[in-house]
Amino acid sequence: MITIGFSPHRVEVLESMAREMEGHDLIILEEPPSEMLGEMLAGRMGVEEYVEELVPAFPLFTTNVCGLLRRLYGAGKRIEQVEPYLATLERIYGLLDDEGVPAETVCRLPEVSEVYSAESRATGALMNFYRKMGGGDFRAAVTACREFAHADAARLRLRARLRTEAISAGVRAGEYGGKIYVEAGYIHLALFVFLRRSLAEAVLNVRVRPRYLL
């Protein structure tokens, strides 16, 4: 059984999240893989230090989740980070900023091109929307808003598909077993549809159920 826990990054959700996670053997976080997670879970790295390194958008929520994950890890739960889209995005930033690889080269690399293209389209559409909003043409602003909405939705579908492929591969290979809890934000509702379809097509007797924690 796979439970997808849909929730916002708010401390009000922590009690419900804890109850759901406690009933599962494997917890899959909506994060790109990081060696720091294992260090934090094992107590070799402090929670405050871990959160400072992450620089999260929701620091209070993240700090509380770390405490919860430590407790669950100590109780024998397996915790994994699976978020291929964000992992690829980190790779793109590393190539551009750290390694100085030109953008025209990065965008053609097979391992990152799909994510690069989705991010480029969505970001370009957003910038165009901002410009049109200040241009005094209401109809043009509405059109730009719709164009961004389509580009952003395409980006979210890709993110859900890549995550589905990674989780399904783990289930099919026997790497992910038992009761599995998958963390997901509310904007990733497509993950439920994609994951249920993928596992059904693989003829695996795995039930996928959504839980809306708030």
mmCIF file of all heavy atoms in Angstrom, residues 119-138:
data_model
loop_
_atom_site.group_PDB
_atom_site.id
_atom_site.type_symbol
_atom_site.label_atom_id
_atom_site.label_comp_id
_atom_site.label_asym_id
_atom_site.label_seq_id
_atom_site.Cartn_x
_atom_site.Cartn_y
_atom_site.Cartn_z
ATOM 1 N N GLU A 119 11.544 24.544 -17.126
ATOM 2 C CA GLU A 119 11.819 25.701 -16.272
ATOM 3 C C GLU A 119 11.957 26.965 -17.104
ATOM 4 O O GLU A 119 11.480 28.036 -16.711
ATOM 5 C CB GLU A 119 13.109 25.463 -15.483
ATOM 6 C CG GLU A 119 12.939 24.586 -14.269
ATOM 7 C CD GLU A 119 12.073 25.235 -13.201
ATOM 8 O OE1 GLU A 119 12.309 26.411 -12.852
ATOM 9 O OE2 GLU A 119 11.154 24.555 -12.712
ATOM 10 N N SER A 120 12.603 26.853 -18.240
ATOM 11 C CA SER A 120 12.804 28.009 -19.108
ATOM 12 C C SER A 120 11.471 28.548 -19.614
ATOM 13 O O SER A 120 11.233 29.769 -19.597
ATOM 14 C CB SER A 120 13.700 27.620 -20.289
ATOM 15 O OG SER A 120 13.887 28.717 -21.159
ATOM 16 N N ARG A 121 10.583 27.651 -20.045
ATOM 17 C CA ARG A 121 9.275 28.083 -20.546
ATOM 18 C C ARG A 121 8.449 28.749 -19.440
ATOM 19 O O ARG A 121 7.844 29.804 -19.652
ATOM 20 C CB ARG A 121 8.511 26.892 -21.123
ATOM 21 C CG ARG A 121 9.011 26.413 -22.475
ATOM 22 C CD ARG A 121 7.983 25.505 -23.143
ATOM 23 N NE ARG A 121 7.680 24.353 -22.307
ATOM 24 C CZ ARG A 121 8.328 23.195 -22.364
ATOM 25 N NH1 ARG A 121 9.347 23.043 -23.213
ATOM 26 N NH2 ARG A 121 7.983 22.186 -21.593
ATOM 27 N N ALA A 122 8.421 28.122 -18.265
ATOM 28 C CA ALA A 122 7.610 28.657 -17.169
ATOM 29 C C ALA A 122 8.155 29.999 -16.682
ATOM 30 O O ALA A 122 7.396 30.939 -16.433
ATOM 31 C CB ALA A 122 7.551 27.649 -16.022
ATOM 32 N N THR A 123 9.475 30.102 -16.544
ATOM 33 C CA THR A 123 10.077 31.344 -16.073
ATOM 34 C C THR A 123 9.882 32.461 -17.098
ATOM 35 O O THR A 123 9.561 33.599 -16.736
ATOM 36 C CB THR A 123 11.573 31.152 -15.798
ATOM 37 O OG1 THR A 123 11.744 30.108 -14.827
ATOM 38 C CG2 THR A 123 12.200 32.424 -15.258
ATOM 39 N N GLY A 124 10.062 32.137 -18.365
ATOM 40 C CA GLY A 124 9.853 33.136 -19.416
ATOM 41 C C GLY A 124 8.417 33.627 -19.442
ATOM 42 O O GLY A 124 8.159 34.832 -19.599
ATOM 43 N N ALA A 125 7.465 32.699 -19.276
ATOM 44 C CA ALA A 125 6.049 33.086 -19.267
ATOM 45 C C ALA A 125 5.721 33.950 -18.057
ATOM 46 O O ALA A 125 4.913 34.883 -18.149
ATOM 47 C CB ALA A 125 5.170 31.838 -19.286
ATOM 48 N N LEU A 126 6.350 33.655 -16.927
ATOM 49 C CA LEU A 126 6.112 34.452 -15.723
ATOM 50 C C LEU A 126 6.655 35.870 -15.898
ATOM 51 O O LEU A 126 5.993 36.856 -15.540
ATOM 52 C CB LEU A 126 6.765 33.784 -14.511
ATOM 53 C CG LEU A 126 6.600 34.505 -13.169
ATOM 54 C CD1 LEU A 126 5.127 34.644 -12.811
ATOM 55 C CD2 LEU A 126 7.366 33.776 -12.072
ATOM 56 N N MET A 127 7.847 35.988 -16.437
ATOM 57 C CA MET A 127 8.428 37.307 -16.671
ATOM 58 C C MET A 127 7.573 38.117 -17.659
ATOM 59 O O MET A 127 7.382 39.328 -17.490
ATOM 60 C CB MET A 127 9.855 37.162 -17.216
ATOM 61 C CG MET A 127 10.857 36.568 -16.242
ATOM 62 S SD MET A 127 11.044 37.540 -14.720
ATOM 63 C CE MET A 127 10.087 36.528 -13.568
ATOM 64 N N ASN A 128 7.050 37.428 -18.658
ATOM 65 C CA ASN A 128 6.187 38.108 -19.625
ATOM 66 C C ASN A 128 4.909 38.595 -18.960
ATOM 67 O O ASN A 128 4.425 39.702 -19.243
ATOM 68 C CB ASN A 128 5.842 37.161 -20.772
ATOM 69 C CG ASN A 128 4.982 37.827 -21.839
ATOM 70 O OD1 ASN A 128 5.346 38.850 -22.416
ATOM 71 N ND2 ASN A 128 3.819 37.238 -22.098
ATOM 72 N N PHE A 129 4.370 37.784 -18.057
ATOM 73 C CA PHE A 129 3.161 38.189 -17.321
ATOM 74 C C PHE A 129 3.428 39.449 -16.499
ATOM 75 O O PHE A 129 2.625 40.380 -16.477
ATOM 76 C CB PHE A 129 2.704 37.046 -16.419
ATOM 77 C CG PHE A 129 1.667 37.442 -15.413
ATOM 78 C CD1 PHE A 129 0.413 37.877 -15.816
ATOM 79 C CD2 PHE A 129 1.945 37.390 -14.056
ATOM 80 C CE1 PHE A 129 -0.552 38.254 -14.881
ATOM 81 C CE2 PHE A 129 0.993 37.758 -13.124
ATOM 82 C CZ PHE A 129 -0.256 38.192 -13.527
ATOM 83 N N TYR A 130 4.582 39.491 -15.810
ATOM 84 C CA TYR A 130 4.924 40.678 -15.013
ATOM 85 C C TYR A 130 5.010 41.924 -15.907
ATOM 86 O O TYR A 130 4.547 43.013 -15.537
ATOM 87 C CB TYR A 130 6.261 40.471 -14.297
ATOM 88 C CG TYR A 130 6.207 39.494 -13.148
ATOM 89 C CD1 TYR A 130 7.338 38.779 -12.768
ATOM 90 C CD2 TYR A 130 5.027 39.282 -12.427
ATOM 91 C CE1 TYR A 130 7.300 37.884 -11.697
ATOM 92 C CE2 TYR A 130 4.986 38.389 -11.372
ATOM 93 C CZ TYR A 130 6.120 37.696 -11.008
ATOM 94 O OH TYR A 130 6.082 36.823 -9.964
ATOM 95 N N ARG A 131 5.606 41.754 -17.072
ATOM 96 C CA ARG A 131 5.729 42.893 -17.981
ATOM 97 C C ARG A 131 4.354 43.373 -18.453
ATOM 98 O O ARG A 131 4.080 44.577 -18.500
ATOM 99 C CB ARG A 131 6.609 42.519 -19.183
ATOM 100 C CG ARG A 131 8.096 42.418 -18.861
ATOM 101 C CD ARG A 131 8.913 42.324 -20.137
ATOM 102 N NE ARG A 131 8.624 41.095 -20.877
ATOM 103 C CZ ARG A 131 9.289 39.951 -20.711
ATOM 104 N NH1 ARG A 131 10.281 39.879 -19.826
ATOM 105 N NH2 ARG A 131 8.978 38.894 -21.418
ATOM 106 N N LYS A 132 3.493 42.423 -18.811
ATOM 107 C CA LYS A 132 2.166 42.784 -19.321
ATOM 108 C C LYS A 132 1.303 43.415 -18.225
ATOM 109 O O LYS A 132 0.466 44.275 -18.508
ATOM 110 C CB LYS A 132 1.459 41.543 -19.885
ATOM 111 C CG LYS A 132 2.166 40.906 -21.068
ATOM 112 C CD LYS A 132 2.279 41.859 -22.251
ATOM 113 C CE LYS A 132 2.918 41.160 -23.451
ATOM 114 N NZ LYS A 132 3.116 42.068 -24.589
ATOM 115 N N MET A 133 1.498 42.985 -16.987
ATOM 116 C CA MET A 133 0.722 43.552 -15.882
ATOM 117 C C MET A 133 0.980 45.049 -15.738
ATOM 118 O O MET A 133 0.114 45.805 -15.315
ATOM 119 C CB MET A 133 1.073 42.834 -14.577
ATOM 120 C CG MET A 133 0.376 41.509 -14.390
ATOM 121 S SD MET A 133 -1.406 41.696 -14.165
ATOM 122 C CE MET A 133 -1.453 42.465 -12.544
ATOM 123 N N GLY A 134 2.192 45.481 -16.077
ATOM 124 C CA GLY A 134 2.526 46.897 -15.951
ATOM 125 C C GLY A 134 2.341 47.674 -17.227
ATOM 126 O O GLY A 134 2.687 48.859 -17.293
ATOM 127 N N GLY A 135 1.773 47.033 -18.246
ATOM 128 C CA GLY A 135 1.679 47.686 -19.555
ATOM 129 C C GLY A 135 0.394 48.424 -19.827
ATOM 130 O O GLY A 135 0.263 49.084 -20.866
ATOM 131 N N GLY A 136 -0.594 48.283 -18.951
ATOM 132 C CA GLY A 136 -1.842 49.004 -19.154
ATOM 133 C C GLY A 136 -2.829 48.353 -20.103
ATOM 134 O O GLY A 136 -3.886 48.923 -20.388
ATOM 135 N N ASP A 137 -2.514 47.165 -20.607
ATOM 136 C CA ASP A 137 -3.406 46.455 -21.529
ATOM 137 C C ASP A 137 -3.971 45.239 -20.803
ATOM 138 O O ASP A 137 -3.301 44.226 -20.655
ATOM 139 C CB ASP A 137 -2.636 46.031 -22.774
ATOM 140 C CG ASP A 137 -3.545 45.424 -23.848
ATOM 141 O OD1 ASP A 137 -4.595 44.872 -23.492
ATOM 142 O OD2 ASP A 137 -3.170 45.484 -25.026
ATOM 143 N N PHE A 138 -5.215 45.354 -20.340
ATOM 144 C CA PHE A 138 -5.803 44.286 -19.521
ATOM 145 C C PHE A 138 -5.901 42.977 -20.291
ATOM 146 O O PHE A 138 -5.584 41.897 -19.763
ATOM 147 C CB PHE A 138 -7.193 44.711 -19.034
ATOM 148 C CG PHE A 138 -7.888 43.655 -18.216
ATOM 149 C CD1 PHE A 138 -7.485 43.369 -16.920
ATOM 150 C CD2 PHE A 138 -8.953 42.940 -18.757
ATOM 151 C CE1 PHE A 138 -8.121 42.397 -16.169
ATOM 152 C CE2 PHE A 138 -9.595 41.958 -18.016
ATOM 153 C CZ PHE A 138 -9.180 41.688 -16.717
#
